[in-house]
Amino acid sequence: MRIQPFTSGICNTNSFVAYGYASAKALVVDAPDGNDAVVAFLRKEKLEPEAILLTHGHFDHVMGLPTLLEAYPGTPVFVSKNDYYLLEDKGAGNMELFRTCFPSFEKMLLQNMSSLPEEYKFYEDEAFGFKVISTPGHTPGSVSLHNVAENLLFSGDTLFASSYGRTDFPRSSARDIARSLRTLLALPEDTLVLPGHGTGTTIGRERNNLYI
């Protein structure tokens, strides 16, 4: 598996294209705003996205969905059922977050969310070769995607390099994210971690960096 990373949007959010050496199929992990480079890469490499996999439903990970779906209509978008409230009704569930934490950007953010898709698919235990690990805390439905064969983890906003996701947002939980971090830190120490923000790391490195 090959991984092409991108960073874009008002929150410098990471997204990733995962694809094979021989297959024309690809997976897109998260969809921040300003992600035109993702579409350009897919077209350049003649890749067809098989699915868009969301680690959670916060605005900075989903505002690029219209761009991707305009270029590749009908691509299924997967999210945890527990984060669907953030996306239904054109992202209305994000309004609480806007008003409490990003009030100066509320009008602009709401406008960008107005084009979100109406249909989503909910994760089960596995998705396209990835084990779907429930990692609530940053949001109630945050997930991390673990590919055992590739020793790879997309951790979203749960685990970062030397840090972890904020829990001062509406419906976040410090207690839940502590449990989720313990789950992730039990993975093999050489697992490559690709987070939703910042640089990559490994499970072994974070065992030494985090005290939970």
Side-chain angles (χ1 to χ4, degrees):
M1 181 183 295
R2 304 177 71 175
I3 306 294
Q4 180 64 45
F6 299 88
T7 303
S8 65
I10 60 174
C11 294
N12 291 320
T13 302
N14 295 334
S15 60
F16 305 92
V17 175
Y19 61 108
Y21 290 93
S23 172
K25 295 293 185 180
L27 298 170
V28 178
V29 179
D30 285 332
D33 50 311
N35 63 349
D36 303 80
V38 174
V39 174
F41 176 80
L42 291 168
R43 287 174 172 166
K44 177 185 175 184
E45 299 296 325
K46 297 181 172 55
L47 296 170
E48 186 77 20
E50 195 169 7
I52 301 167
L53 308 179
L54 301 178
T55 59
H56 63 294
H58 275 163
F59 68 95
D60 59 312
H61 290 254
V62 305
M63 285 197 300
L65 285 173
T67 300
L68 289 169
L69 294 175
E70 181 179 0
Y72 298 96
T75 304
V77 181
F78 284 78
V79 69
S80 167
K81 188 174 184 178
N82 289 336
D83 261 16
Y84 178 60
Y85 77 96
L86 288 164
L87 300 174
E88 63 182 335
D89 298 327
K90 303 300 182 182
N94 270 279
M95 289 178 62
E96 186 180 13
L97 178 62
F98 297 159
R99 290 171 178 167
T100 57
C101 301
F102 303 94
S104 59
F105 296 104
E106 181 180 354
K107 185 176 293 186
M108 180 269 287
L109 292 171
L110 285 174
Q111 183 176 0
N112 286 345
M113 298 286 279
S114 65
S115 298
L116 286 182
E118 297 182 358
E119 294 185 4
Y120 298 87
K121 293 184 178 296
F122 297 139
Y123 287 118
E124 297 184 1
D125 293 338
E126 293 191 12
F128 303 95
F130 286 86
K131 180 181 179 182
V132 180
I133 304 174
S134 175
T135 49
H138 183 65
T139 67
S142 288
V143 301
S144 297
L145 303 169
H146 183 212
N147 190 300
V148 176
E150 300 286 342
N151 226 13
L152 170 68
L153 180 78
F154 293 112
S155 60
D157 284 8
T158 298
L159 176 62
F160 301 136
S162 302
S163 187
Y164 52 87
R166 289 177 62 171
T167 58
D168 57 336
F169 290 159
R171 307 200 196 189
S172 297
S173 169
R175 179 178 294 180
D176 286 347
I177 206 168
R179 293 194 190 102
S180 295
L181 290 168
R182 285 193 286 269
T183 296
L184 295 184
L185 293 179
L187 295 174
E189 64 177 13
D190 57 345
T191 302
L192 174 64
V193 179
L194 298 177
H197 301 273
T199 60
T201 184
T202 65
I203 290 296
R205 190 175 301 146
E206 298 317 309
R207 285 180 189 166
N208 295 321
N209 290 337
L210 298 179
Y211 299 92
I212 55 173

